[in-house]
Amino acid sequence: MIKIAVLVSGSGSNLQALIDANLSGKIVGVVSNRPNAYALERAKKANIPSCIIEHKDFPTREAFDDAMQKQLQAWDVDVVILAGFMRILTPKFVHAWEGRMLNIHPSLLPAYKGMHTHQRVLRTGDMWHGCSVHFVTAELDAGQTIAQGVVQVQHHDTAESLAARVHQLEHVVYPQVVELLCQGHLLYQSNTQILYKGKILKDPLQICQI
Ligand code: GAR
């Protein structure tokens, strides 16, 4: 069985979706870089071991990532899932998990990398918005996108209403992609080549639209 670690910084609603999804892999641990992240409560309720590694306690990003790496090794993790983990990872850490680490981002990548995606979508006046799941590479939000969920932007939308719909979508899309990884249906060959069920993935899988 694939052993999964989930890295979090905040509310952990994506962690909850993964817990509720009854994945074929097992979530063996949750790491938070923030001691008051609600995600830690969710892990506790689900009887999943968790650990706080505060980035503030480390002099460098490398030292912080090394501490995380030690914990992941102690749990004998196969796959790392970033679920609202808001720290930039060092190339060394990313390299160690290349092809085995996923992230979800609240935009239709490659559009709107970085922060405040909902506000930026509204400011530009886009019709479509959503979320993307990608393998993590050293460049921020730049790994090849595996799957997306799409929402139509409504004229009355605010950043908050959009965020809520995108979040809802994330909870559907992320568990499905993690399950594909657990089942061995996603194979990372390089940052420009992913195999999905044995075939090169040309376009992101469209998992759902609301
Ligand atoms: C999610 O919307 C996720 O896409 C975003 O943080 C939120 C975490 O919510 N991640 C990023 O912006 C990463 N670049 P959650 O803590 O409730 O799962």
Side-chain angles (χ1 to χ4, degrees):
M1 186 185 278
I2 298 284
K3 291 186 218 130
I4 303 167
V6 184
L7 309 191
V8 297
S9 300
S11 134
S13 67
N14 278 289
L15 167 67
Q16 191 66 56
L18 294 167
I19 292 170
D20 295 342
N22 286 319
L23 299 166
S24 60
K26 182 175 185 210
I27 305 176
V28 295
V30 170
V31 177
S32 174
N33 66 317
R34 298 220 175 99
N36 53 358
Y38 185 67
L40 291 165
E41 294 297 317
R42 298 183 192 270
K44 194 169 165 194
K45 275 195 198 131
N47 286 318
I48 299 170
S50 65
C51 149
I52 300 164
I53 303 180
E54 267 196 274
H55 58 272
K56 287 189 311 202
D57 293 344
F58 296 86
T60 60
R61 282 189 191 277
E62 285 73 16
F64 169 66
D65 283 4
D66 284 349
M68 284 204 299
Q69 181 70 343
K70 245 191 209 156
Q71 182 59 65
L72 298 178
Q73 279 165 351
W75 283 329
D76 196 19
V77 163
D78 301 305
V79 163
V80 175
I81 303 298
L82 307 184
F85 183 71
M86 303 310 258
R87 293 292 297 169
I88 291 173
L89 297 163
T90 56
K92 181 180 163 201
F93 185 88
V94 172
H95 185 66
W97 292 100
E98 190 176 357
R100 299 186 296 149
M101 179 157 62
L102 298 182
N103 183 36
I104 190 158
H105 182 74
S107 78
L108 296 174
L109 290 170
Y112 307 109
K113 296 172 181 173
M115 307 280 281
H116 309 299
T117 57
H118 314 298
Q119 289 91 329
R120 288 156 67 203
V121 162
L122 288 175
R123 219 177 297 135
T124 312
D126 292 350
M127 252 183 93
W128 300 101
H129 185 34
C131 63
S132 306
V133 178
H134 62 95
F135 280 109
V136 178
T137 57
E139 198 187 327
L140 185 71
D141 301 329
Q144 191 186 337
T145 299
I146 301 161
Q148 292 183 319
V150 176
V151 300
Q152 188 163 14
V153 181
Q154 309 290 343
H155 67 276
H156 55 260
D157 263 323
T158 60
E160 290 70 32
S161 67
L162 258 188
R165 285 216 306 296
V166 170
H167 239 136
Q168 226 182 314
L169 198 60
E170 291 184 3
H171 303 156
V172 177
V173 173
Y174 214 6
Q176 289 192 40
V177 179
V178 173
E179 183 59 20
L180 287 176
L181 191 65
C182 290
Q183 301 258 355
H185 292 319
L186 282 174
L187 209 61
Y188 175 96
Q189 296 201 306
S190 74
N191 187 31
T192 50
Q193 189 160 303
I194 296 166
L195 295 187
Y196 168 61
K197 296 189 173 171
K199 293 198 177 127
I200 292 173
L201 184 68
K202 292 207 178 98
D203 298 303
L205 304 170
Q206 296 296 329
I207 295 224
C208 111
Q209 182 176 317
I210 52 175

